[in-house]
Amino acid sequence: MKQHKWRFILPGLVIFVVGVTFPLWYSAVNSTPVPVLSLDTPVINQLQNKECVEDKAFMSADHMKMLHAWRDEVVREGKREYTAKDGRKFEKSLTRTCLSCHSNKEQFCDRCHNYAGAKPTCYDCHIIPEEVKK
Amino acid sequence: MNLLLSFVAVFVIAFLSWAIAAGTTASSVLTMYVPYIVFAVFLGGFVYRIVKWAKAPVPFRIPTTCGQQKGLPWIKNNPVENPAGPWGVIGRMAEEIFLFRSLFRNTDVKMIDGRPVYGSAKWLWFFGLMFHGSLLVVALRHLRFFTEPILPCVNFLAGLDGFFEIGAPALYLSDAALLAGLTYLFLRRVVLPQMRYISLLTDYFALLLIAGIAVTGLLMRHFFPVDLLSVKSTVIGWVTFTPVVPEQAGVLLYMHLGFVFVLMAWLPWSKLMHLGGIFMSPTRNLINNNRSQRHINPWNAPVKVHTYEEYEDEFCDKMKAVGLPVEKE
């Protein structure tokens, strides 16, 4: 038991150290740029003041909740109009509102979702206009 | 009293994090330098503790077993509970680590008609296993912040965990299980008088600290969402050694980080070190072969002996002189 216990303990320790430092190795091998969210779409380029439905901080953190609320209100209550905090009016629609401005879904929504590990299943049913046009 | 103190300690950490979030210098120190210090303390402390334990001599196999030892061929033995070879030990360790075999043996005593009656008590095992399992899943899911591109298995795990898609963002089952487990473990200490009697400050503190992490995490996910883009860039900044201050981060994120950092730095020095300790438990990881193999205590001092032969050599003449019988010659 004297020497041979190290035969088990040392490999165990090495596995532990490599395991907890894994993100360091992994990021050394892979390049990890922060995704650039492109706002370069025809509709947004034509906007006078480049604003989303709500302010940017709210949109980036809360848009999933907003979309779910929209969906419930449209499908269950038939209310299709959304009034933003500053009084502008929008149609509550995933495809016709969000994707009309953000028609570059792949360079915008998807980039951020892949980075953050979010997987919206919405497009199982909802269409993506750009792809339809192709 | 212990309970109160540990509540105070957790609130102090929360308050400190809140204060740090308010100051720009303090918050950049917390997000740019403290992670490295904490990680170094965690890793160094962990290795130190393991090596220290490993150095403790184990001269003898400790036979606290729960089954029949291997003996004569017609006696049925239990190869896992009382292992006679390495595979049995591997089985016993796996049962202990993945299934908490020892807790499954937990019993409860009740006085019925003046006689003590023993019954099995599996609640601690059940909630303990649930708590640890969900903690593991939660920790693995956090790899989505630490890896870019995200490991496919991490995304898969998150998908499985949020399978029921309750609410938006989807509720993770492991989060619910974690909270349930924590609640049970905490109430067990508070409600049962004998548990309360033996509970120390650190027992409560460990639970409350983890509860603090879980609650701030859940709040950030479901009630006061944070911008995951800036959170992930911060974390990726740590692992690529180009730390940045998160652009948009609420107080909750700072509290979450504050709790996590305290937990990580404290873990190697606390009872939570059973994370590594379980692998080192001599009553579980040693083959019970005390009877089939001789174990010589390695630090037996060289005892100075004087055998009869040497005695006779030394006193041969004198013994002969007084007529005592000698064996030699």
Side-chain angles (χ1 to χ4, degrees):
Chain A
M1 196 53 203
K2 244 174 46 186
Q3 295 311 313
H4 100 199
K5 69 181 171 189
W6 291 101
R7 282 215 321 251
F8 300 102
I9 294 169
L10 274 185
L13 263 185
V14 170
I15 291 173
F16 170 75
V17 171
V18 172
V20 294
T21 51
F22 167 74
L24 304 181
W25 313 124
Y26 190 77
S27 66
V29 177
N30 294 285
S31 63
T32 55
V34 177
V36 186
L37 302 180
S38 161
L39 290 172
D40 181 23
T41 67
V43 182
I44 291 181
N45 284 338
Q46 277 170 19
L47 285 178
Q48 305 244 284
N49 37 350
K50 308 226 175 307
E51 278 177 343
C52 197
V53 177
E54 297 285 355
D55 60 274
K56 188 179 162 194
F58 178 86
M59 286 312 291
S60 43
D62 272 333
H63 64 274
M64 43 280 183
K65 293 200 157 182
M66 190 170 93
L67 278 172
H68 274 248
W70 281 15
R71 179 190 60 190
D72 292 352
E73 284 157 16
V74 169
V75 178
R76 297 189 190 150
E77 295 160 29
K79 295 184 184 143
R80 286 186 181 268
E81 201 176 66
Y82 178 79
T83 315
K85 281 178 205 131
D86 57 5
R88 286 175 302 150
K89 289 202 178 7
F90 291 94
E91 190 197 349
K92 286 179 188 165
S93 171
L94 178 62
T95 317
R96 282 191 298 275
T97 307
C98 307
L99 296 187
S100 70
C101 282
H102 300 292
S103 53
N104 55 348
K105 176 174 167 293
E106 260 158 44
Q107 286 97 45
F108 186 75
C109 312
D110 291 356
R111 269 192 194 160
C112 189
H113 288 164
N114 289 341
Y115 192 63
K119 288 224 164 49
T121 48
C122 319
Y123 305 105
D124 292 356
C125 303
H126 289 260
I127 52 164
I128 305 166
E130 207 74 349
E131 283 183 358
V132 177
K133 271 185 225 151
K134 266 181 215 161
Chain B
M1 188 60 204
N2 280 338
L3 181 59
L4 193 72
L5 274 181
S6 43
F7 262 113
V8 170
V10 169
F11 278 113
V12 166
I13 299 171
F15 180 76
L16 273 182
S17 318
W18 176 74
I20 287 173
T24 35
T25 341
S27 61
S28 59
V29 169
L30 185 79
T31 49
M32 290 172 71
Y33 305 108
V34 176
Y36 294 104
I37 302 172
V38 164
F39 189 66
V41 171
F42 170 74
L43 201 61
F46 201 100
V47 173
Y48 167 78
R49 287 296 297 265
I50 294 287
V51 170
K52 198 172 154 212
W53 276 326
K55 279 192 181 152
V58 182
F60 196 70
R61 305 304 170 89
I62 305 172
T64 49
T65 56
C66 307
Q68 174 62 46
Q69 186 175 9
K70 187 171 179 213
L72 295 168
W74 41 269
I75 301 177
K76 195 167 170 254
N77 69 318
N78 187 333
V80 173
E81 298 284 14
N82 194 340
W87 288 108
V89 165
I90 291 170
R92 180 161 75 172
M93 287 302 283
E95 274 190 345
E96 191 63 37
I97 291 164
F98 296 115
L99 300 173
F100 298 0
R101 182 70 180 90
S102 296
L103 281 186
F104 200 68
R105 280 190 250 276
N106 191 26
T107 52
D108 193 18
V109 201
K110 280 205 189 71
M111 294 300 273
I112 297 178
D113 299 336
R115 284 188 309 128
V117 175
Y118 292 84
S120 85
K122 303 272 186 264
W123 288 113
L124 178 62
W125 169 80
F126 177 76
F127 281 99
L129 194 58
M130 187 163 102
F131 165 73
H132 284 82
S134 46
L135 201 60
L136 177 69
V137 174
V138 170
L140 288 180
R141 270 202 283 100
H142 274 73
L143 277 178
R144 76 166 156 150
F145 296 112
F146 288 87
T147 54
E148 175 60 38
I150 301 176
L151 292 179
C153 50
V154 172
N155 273 333
F156 175 75
L157 185 68
L160 213 58
D161 205 357
F163 184 73
F164 290 107
E165 299 187 355
I166 305 166
L171 175 77
Y172 286 133
L173 297 183
S174 56
D175 288 349
L178 183 70
L179 278 190
L182 271 174
T183 311
Y184 173 83
L185 294 178
F186 183 72
L187 286 182
R188 170 174 162 271
R189 285 198 183 277
V190 179
V191 173
L192 299 182
Q194 63 269 47
M195 284 309 299
R196 202 167 50 224
Y197 183 70
I198 61 165
S199 291
L200 304 174
L201 176 72
T202 49
D203 293 336
Y204 295 119
F205 180 65
L207 285 175
L208 289 177
L209 194 62
I210 296 175
I213 295 174
V215 168
T216 47
L218 277 169
L219 286 177
M220 273 193 293
R221 181 169 170 81
H222 294 286
F223 298 99
F224 307 99
V226 291
D227 179 14
L228 288 193
L229 189 66
S230 60
V231 173
K232 176 144 186 186
S233 331
T234 312
V235 179
I236 286 291
W238 296 341
V239 297
T240 52
F241 296 101
T242 47
V244 289
V245 183
E247 291 162 35
Q248 301 171 19
V251 179
L252 275 173
L253 181 69
Y254 282 95
M255 285 191 185
H256 194 67
L257 291 182
F259 287 136
V260 170
F261 290 161
V262 170
L263 180 71
M264 278 180 73
W266 177 61
L267 190 137
W269 323 106
S270 71
K271 67 172 218 163
L272 299 182
M273 192 53 206
H274 68 269
L275 165 63
I278 189 165
F279 294 92
M280 312 284 287
S281 22
T283 59
R284 302 285 95 194
N285 67 11
L286 293 179
I287 303 168
N288 186 26
N289 56 5
N290 280 321
R291 294 202 294 173
S292 57
Q293 269 174 38
R294 182 152 187 233
H295 297 271
I296 296 172
N297 189 346
W299 74 94
N300 269 348
V303 182
K304 231 179 144 192
V305 287
H306 200 218
T307 60
Y308 182 71
E309 284 84 47
E310 287 162 4
Y311 175 88
E312 221 182 68
D313 289 345
E314 195 178 340
F315 299 108
C316 195
D317 323 335
K318 290 175 181 119
M319 286 168 85
K320 275 187 198 154
V322 293
L324 280 175
V326 286
E327 284 189 352
K328 293 200 175 164
E329 288 162 27

